[in-house]
Amino acid sequence: LSDYWQPEDLNTFVYYEHTDRRDKIELTKTRVGDSSSMELPVYDASTWKTNSLELGSQWKSGDESIQRFGFFLGMNNETDARRVNIKAHRCFPASLCLGEQLGNDPPVTNKWSDADVWGGTKPAEGEIATVRYNWRMELDEDTPMLDVLFVDGLLWIDPTATRTIKARHIYVRHGTLQIGNRTDGVRFSGKATIELHGVTASTTTTKDQAIEAGDRTIVNTGTLDFFGESVATSMTRLLAPVDPSGDGNTDTVTLTAAHISDWSVGDRIAFAPTSFNRLEGEDALITAINTETGVVTLDKNLTNYHYGDASDDTVAGVDMRCEVVHLTRNIVIKPVDDTWGSTVRTGDLVISGESIYRYGTAYIDGVEFAEGGQKDTQRAALRFIEASGSIAGSYVKNSAFHNGGAAAIWI
């Protein structure tokens, strides 16, 4: 406690409100310089408890209810300085929060749509769904909007299917979420969308004992195996300038025809800035495309000047023409709106005292991260955090990041 606290001062009630979920909070007080401790009673807005305050399920997110606790501070009955210690348990006991451990049950091949797999009733909106460690489950239909999707086994999508996974949080604990078959060299040719739900206020949700993550999150301590399609040429250059100061019709651009042979109507393309202002980059959707002439029509007029020229002459060895980048992929990870971005976190989980060792690996190939990253945080669209045990095997290629609120990749 502060040196400014005087013995005659009245007690002060300290009251906390928080949305960062904890299963248990313990409070003790110790003498400064002394390791011995005494329990400190705590109040949870209904009644006085012992120093161990049970807060309930960690999976109930903060935007649904605000958690509260409080305690009195005072030195009028103390003869020397004290320190208050607050210990907040993410999971208590830790063994209850680590999910289903690997067992000896034989592998079971099943489908999401089979109600019998789920005990007679399939997961409904707002519920928690767990793909068990020995399941080899095909996602043969769209999911409802789940609170949490745990993947302890294998959850995979047929390479030609169109599927949507909707959840507030996805946690690949020691299983695999597979879209496309990297091992067999079969790229995913369908359309897979992972929609992450939630609100800005729920900025922190805890996964397991040592995994901190934001809302609208995929947390991976297992394997993400995404093997989608990508275009032959993902970047070309403008063959003529885009100049909004002219007649105002800047919704048609000319590109190298050979570079856009597999670009399609509905694809999103981005135009890099060619001035000194880095904010003059912009993107648009293709509404018409002529693969013989290279003329592309956009869904809107571009608002900034972008330099282009038919000649590929360079200045000091640098091609100064505007870069035009193809952004669309057939595996998409996105939030449900642009008010708060989504984030994917791959890392390790090591709890040596309980012999828990999980090493997250992410194979990201042909994925579009739309509106990823959470503004004013370090939560990038794709993060590798505490991934020393497995990051060497992970990779990101043939992928696109756009319209994000934070960094694209954080390592």
Side-chain angles (χ1 to χ4, degrees):
L1 297 178
S2 170
D3 292 337
Y4 296 104
W5 201 287
Q6 302 299 320
E8 62 272 15
D9 290 339
L10 298 176
N11 290 337
T12 299
F13 184 66
V14 181
Y15 184 72
Y16 283 95
E17 290 188 348
H18 62 104
T19 57
D20 189 356
R21 291 296 301 170
R22 290 296 185 265
D23 269 4
K24 183 178 182 179
I25 291 178
E26 295 178 330
L27 289 93
T28 56
K29 58 180 179 178
T30 61
R31 291 184 176 89
V32 175
D34 187 350
S35 60
S36 61
S37 63
M38 298 175 59
E39 293 185 354
L40 183 67
V42 61
Y43 185 74
D44 71 344
S46 60
T47 183
W48 283 101
K49 308 286 187 182
T50 65
N51 73 313
S52 297
L53 175 61
E54 303 291 340
L55 295 181
S57 171
Q58 65 166 337
W59 301 115
K60 188 175 179 63
S61 298
D63 63 308
E64 294 181 350
S65 62
I66 297 177
Q67 307 306 311
R68 302 178 178 89
F69 72 94
F71 53 92
F72 276 109
L73 286 178
M75 287 297 293
N76 54 332
N77 294 322
E78 304 290 352
T79 58
D80 52 13
R82 298 278 186 172
R83 177 181 290 113
V84 174
N85 306 300
I86 303 175
K87 184 175 183 180
H89 296 267
R90 296 184 176 98
C91 304
F92 190 85
S95 59
L96 295 180
C97 303
L98 292 170
E100 188 176 40
Q101 301 305 300
L102 299 178
N104 298 317
D105 295 335
V108 176
T109 301
N110 48 31
K111 296 179 182 292
W112 184 284
S113 63
D114 185 354
D116 291 339
V117 172
W118 305 100
T121 304
K122 294 187 297 183
E125 182 172 345
E127 293 184 345
I128 295 173
T130 301
V131 177
R132 295 194 59 201
Y133 74 91
N134 64 323
W135 289 2
R136 305 295 181 262
M137 173 174 279
E138 178 187 353
L139 183 64
D140 60 333
E141 64 182 13
D142 295 347
T143 72
M145 202 292 288
L146 301 169
D147 185 19
V148 185
L149 171 60
F150 291 112
V151 181
D152 293 340
L154 170 65
L155 181 63
W156 64 282
I157 299 175
D158 182 276
T160 63
T162 298
R163 297 284 179 265
T164 300
I165 299 174
K166 293 179 283 188
R168 295 175 59 164
H169 313 285
I170 299 174
Y171 188 12
V172 182
R173 289 193 282 209
H174 40 221
T176 299
L177 179 57
Q178 183 184 76
I179 306 176
N181 194 319
R182 173 182 51 88
T183 303
D184 295 339
V186 179
R187 288 192 178 273
F188 182 75
S189 60
K191 178 69 173 181
T193 304
I194 300 176
E195 291 184 357
L196 295 170
H197 294 238
V199 297
T200 309
S202 296
T203 55
T204 303
T205 296
T206 302
K207 302 289 188 280
D208 282 356
Q209 179 68 359
I211 301 297
E212 287 283 3
D215 200 29
R216 296 186 175 185
T217 302
I218 299 175
V219 175
N220 171 41
T221 55
T223 302
L224 294 179
D225 196 349
F226 298 157
F227 194 50
E229 292 183 330
S230 59
V231 294
T233 303
S234 59
M235 192 275 287
T236 186
R237 294 184 184 273
L238 277 179
L239 299 186
V242 173
D243 188 359
S245 66
D247 59 11
N249 295 319
T250 57
D251 61 347
T252 301
V253 297
T254 304
L255 309 174
T256 303
H259 292 170
I260 62 174
S261 59
D262 57 350
W263 295 17
S264 303
V265 170
D267 288 354
R268 184 179 297 275
I269 57 177
F271 298 82
T274 54
S275 70
F276 293 104
N277 186 350
R278 64 179 180 84
L279 300 178
E280 290 187 354
E282 48 194 324
D283 61 88
L285 298 177
I286 297 175
T287 58
I289 185 168
N290 189 322
T291 57
E292 295 182 358
T293 63
V295 175
V296 175
T297 304
L298 308 174
D299 68 333
K300 62 181 180 181
N301 286 317
L302 300 179
T303 59
N304 299 306
Y305 177 86
H306 300 277
Y307 172 69
D309 195 277
S311 171
D312 60 359
D313 293 343
T314 61
V315 178
V318 178
D319 192 333
M320 302 298 291
R321 296 175 298 174
C322 173
E323 297 171 327
V324 182
V325 181
H326 186 274
L327 299 175
T328 296
R329 302 293 186 270
N330 64 333
I331 301 175
V332 181
I333 301 173
K334 66 176 186 177
V336 292
D337 56 56
D338 60 1
T339 60
W340 185 241
S342 57
T343 178
V344 179
R345 181 198 192 280
T346 289
D348 300 339
L349 173 62
V350 178
I351 304 178
S352 55
E354 301 198 24
S355 299
I356 301 296
Y357 304 95
R358 299 175 186 166
Y359 302 103
T361 305
Y363 306 106
I364 308 296
D365 189 343
V367 179
E368 178 183 347
F369 293 81
E371 300 168 7
Q374 297 177 342
K375 187 177 180 180
D376 297 329
T377 74
Q378 293 181 347
R379 300 189 187 110
L382 178 62
R383 295 180 286 162
F384 295 88
I385 306 294
E386 298 172 350
S388 58
S390 59
I391 194 171
S394 299
Y395 58 74
V396 183
K397 55 186 178 181
N398 300 321
S399 297
F401 300 79
H402 64 84
N403 295 299
I409 301 177
W410 185 282
I411 300 176

